[in-house]
Amino acid sequence: MAKHAKSLLSRWSSRVFLVEVDEKPHYFRLQARHGGERAPRVFGRLRQEDRCFSVLVCTGDRIKGAKFYPELRDKLSNELPPGCDLTTMGSFLPRVRDSFIRGYFLKSSAEYSAHVERLLRDLGRREPLLVCSYAASGGGGQAWTQRLWSPSEDETVSDYFVVSSDEPECHPSALSMINNDVFYSFEEARDVFRKCRDVIPEAASVLEMLPGSAEVSQKPLFPVVVLEGLDATGKTTLTESLRETLGAALLRSPPDCLSPWRALFDREPPLIRRAFYALGNYITAQQIAQEGMKTPVIVDRFWHSTAAYAIATATGGPVSNLPGEGSEVYSWPGDLLRPSLVLLLTLDAEERKRRLKDRGLEKTDEEQKLDRNQLFRLRVEEAYRRISGPPCVTVDASPSADKVLQQTLLLIRNNCHL
Ligand SMILES: Nc1ncnc2c1ncn2[C@@H]1O[C@H](COP(=O)(O)OP(=O)(O)OP(=O)(O)O)[C@@H](O)[C@H]1O
Ligand SMILES: Nc1ccn([C@@H]2O[C@H](COP(=O)(O)O)[C@@H](O)[C@H]2O)c(=O)n1
């Protein structure tokens, strides 16, 4: 049995499981004996004869695991018989860093359960998966057992009762966010790209664009102002005006030199996609350091965008699911150039939608998600606010473009030495 699966099994009974149905989390844990506790509602809605299954990805190889997770969803969606419900799930050890693993939870009606079992057994033999089945164990359908299917024939695994568990303080994905969703050093992000060269040849081209290290040769003499905010809050409009008014250099992250590969890496799973944007920030940092010796520098998106979107995507549900204020996930990377000032443009949802509609450009997946999903938008905005590091000031972007420019100039003059 693979070493990684073995280490997961060694603390199996201490794990907590999370099944997400329409962004609503259901938490459960395992018990050797049943003490009359209720099963979580996600099970409670099932009939006695129904079967549920969980399929968790358990590879020690981060790149393979990240690529395999969405592929698994496609495989399951294509091969499962009709009438099966499929949703996302995860499992973690409370308060244990890097313990969060992802997978899928599926519910099958009685008539198809034998078919689903065959399918999963077959999949489990070929892929690094931990598969469990769930069945009613009496008590009028209130009590459910989890049976972990042995990943190797010689292994004996136990059955456990499944009981509801309290919701943790924040979404458990936070346990594995660092260096999977958000990168806090140049080396960590570069390492992901070095490791994925075999599976994504374009990663080599990105690596060629990178500086030798995160260190910048000199600290900028002039102020460096970053403009942040959700899509269509007016960043492009304002950065152009600031460039003209201040005679500043205008840079962006990701930098133009990465444009040929952006669409490709946008389609990759979070580990690779976020590493791409993290690396873009380090290239932009080098450019800032150079330009900042000659003129003020305005930057369209930087670290706040990379971290806030990543954190908001990794956590589902309401804002309360975000890692708490002050959590290390909000800290500024120690090796990344700090701007003099970050300005966060905010706009109410309706006005932002109106501007998006008027602009009429094609929307990225994440823009569409922002549009559709009010909770996601709120999580991104709150994550923006919680990020620590350089001073971050919120700017109301709803007045006319000229008024927003005047307000911004005032903030720059008050906060930077111009
Ligand atoms: N203050 C403003 N009042 C009204 N409309 C504005 C204002 N600022 C920008 N707009 C318009 O809103 C739309 C979005 O602006 P812009 O492209 O500058 O946003 P953005 O934040 O750069 O978007 P993205 O991040 O998606 O590139 C554009 O059509 C722009 O002309
Ligand atoms: N420094 C950055 C910049 C952008 N992103 C990601 O790109 C998307 C928004 O960019 P737009 O050009 O469409 O405004 C969004 O998905 C961010 O995650 C980033 O991560 N880091």
Side-chain angles (χ1 to χ4, degrees), residues 176-222:
S176 298
M177 231 173 232
I178 294 177
N179 295 329
N180 285 307
D181 296 289
V182 196
F183 295 88
Y184 297 86
S185 79
F186 175 65
E187 256 114 52
E188 286 288 352
R190 187 178 56 182
D191 189 50
V192 170
F193 263 63
R194 284 185 170 161
K195 288 194 173 124
C196 69
R197 268 180 298 197
D198 294 345
V199 275
I200 313 171
E202 290 82 355
S205 312
V206 172
L207 285 165
E208 276 170 26
M209 296 288 159
L210 300 182
S213 77
E215 221 172 293
V216 292
S217 48
Q218 56 226 337
K219 268 190 87 178
L221 288 174
F222 287 86

Side-chain angles (χ1 to χ4, degrees), residues 55-75:
V55 187
L56 291 157
V57 177
C58 70
T59 167
D61 182 324
R62 286 198 303 158
I63 307 288
K64 275 198 187 137
K67 297 277 282 178
F68 181 57
Y69 179 61
E71 281 168 26
L72 177 61
R73 182 173 204 128
D74 292 344
K75 256 184 221 241

Side-chain angles (χ1 to χ4, degrees), residues 322-332 382-383 385-388:
L322 287 173
E325 210 151 359
S327 156
E328 60 186 327
V329 303
Y330 301 115
S331 51
W332 191 267
E382 186 54 29
R385 288 192 193 99
R386 290 186 186 180
I387 290 167
S388 62

Side-chain angles (χ1 to χ4, degrees), residues 231 253-254 262 273-274 277 281 301-302 305-306 309 366:
D231 313 274
S253 179
R262 187 172 178 186
R273 178 165 194 261
R274 301 303 177 190
Y277 283 106
N281 290 330
R301 290 198 191 273
F302 198 50
S305 284
T306 313
Y309 280 78
E366 230 153 27

Side-chain angles (χ1 to χ4, degrees), residues 230-237 301 351 355 359 367 397 399-401 404:
L230 299 180
D231 313 274
T233 46
K235 295 179 298 301
T236 310
T237 310
R301 290 198 191 273
E351 172 62 8
R355 289 189 192 179
R359 189 175 62 173
E367 275 178 315
S400 70
V404 177

Side-chain angles (χ1 to χ4, degrees), residues 105-150:
F105 184 82
L106 47 120
K107 183 177 111 180
S108 155
S109 60
E111 58 180 319
Y112 289 118
S113 61
H115 177 107
V116 175
E117 265 197 58
R118 264 198 312 278
L119 185 85
L120 297 181
R121 282 206 189 280
D122 192 39
L123 203 57
R125 262 181 231 116
R126 285 183 283 124
E127 309 287 1
L129 294 174
L130 284 172
V131 184
C132 298
S133 56
Y134 300 81
S137 64
Q142 298 285 1
W144 284 78
T145 48
Q146 181 201 67
R147 167 157 297 177
L148 173 64
W149 296 358
S150 168

